[in-house]
Amino acid sequence: GRRFEILTGGGHSVCQAMLLCRDERLFFAADQVLPEISPNIGVLAMSPEADPLGLYLESLSRIRRDVDDDVLVLPGHRLPFDGLHKRVDELVSHHESRCREVAIACRERPLSAAEIQPVLFKRPLDPHGMSFAFSETLAHVNMMVREGRLAGKVFDGVYRFVTA
């Protein structure tokens, strides 16, 4: 008896499906909007120059515009929560903060994506975590290159990035 709208987003996966029941103020956010953590936004090996972070941030903007703030958010991980717009704003701010960290690091000297990774992920990582961290680092780098905030060049035979 419920009527759901299907919303789509990108970034975490190629096409993230979410369900919205306006009548009952329920938003099944899947992994697009999670409480307390950010979903992994990573570049896939088959599309090394893709911009999943840009897609993710565009998706968050659409969610903020199209979904009322007073819904109960049912995420794909952890507990349901209220305050959708606040959480969207926190996620956007989180990724912008990480981009600022990258820009500062690449202003000091040219860095490869592998050298940028420890700027964003300071704790020791196992190989599985390293894979996720590298793909997410590359997502930030790719978006910043697309936006003109970073430029890539070959330095000493290695492709490195500098703040534009």
Side-chain angles (χ1 to χ4, degrees):
R2 292 184 172 108
R3 181 176 177 203
F4 287 94
E5 296 172 45
I6 300 171
L7 306 175
T8 59
H12 174 66
S13 66
V14 175
C15 187
Q16 182 81 61
M18 300 162 282
L19 298 174
L20 174 63
C21 180
R22 290 189 193 276
D23 294 339
E24 295 187 43
R25 299 184 343 266
L26 298 173
F27 180 49
F28 291 84
D31 286 356
Q32 206 68 9
V33 183
L34 299 173
E36 304 163 15
I37 61 172
S38 173
N40 180 261
I41 310 299
V43 173
L44 301 174
M46 62 216 159
S47 304
E49 295 181 6
D51 182 13
L53 183 57
L55 293 172
Y56 178 68
L57 294 174
E58 288 172 23
S59 171
L60 290 180
S61 177
R62 285 193 314 275
I63 289 169
R64 195 175 198 299
R65 180 193 68 213
D66 297 340
V67 180
D68 293 336
D69 187 43
D70 66 349
V71 296
L72 175 63
V73 182
L74 298 131
H77 301 273
R78 305 204 177 176
L79 296 174
F81 65 95
D82 294 310
L84 174 65
H85 292 181
K86 179 178 184 257
R87 184 63 189 138
V88 165
D89 293 345
E90 290 168 353
L91 288 165
V92 170
S93 177
H94 164 75
H95 288 290
E96 183 52 39
S97 173
R98 294 175 80 77
C99 287
R100 280 192 302 275
E101 290 180 68
V102 170
I104 290 167
C106 291
R107 190 177 304 129
E108 294 173 8
R109 66 183 175 94
L111 297 173
S112 69
E115 293 166 329
I116 294 169
Q117 180 183 320
V119 170
L120 299 180
F121 297 90
K122 295 171 179 46
R123 71 186 190 286
L125 299 167
D126 63 20
H128 182 73
M130 182 82 69
S131 171
F132 280 111
F134 183 79
S135 69
E136 187 157 329
T137 297
L138 195 52
H140 285 79
V141 167
N142 285 1
M143 184 184 81
M144 292 176 73
V145 167
R146 182 183 56 80
E147 291 178 342
R149 296 162 68 181
L150 287 181
K153 296 181 186 178
V154 175
F155 293 90
D156 302 322
V158 177
Y159 200 73
R160 298 177 192 278
F161 301 91
V162 295
T163 302

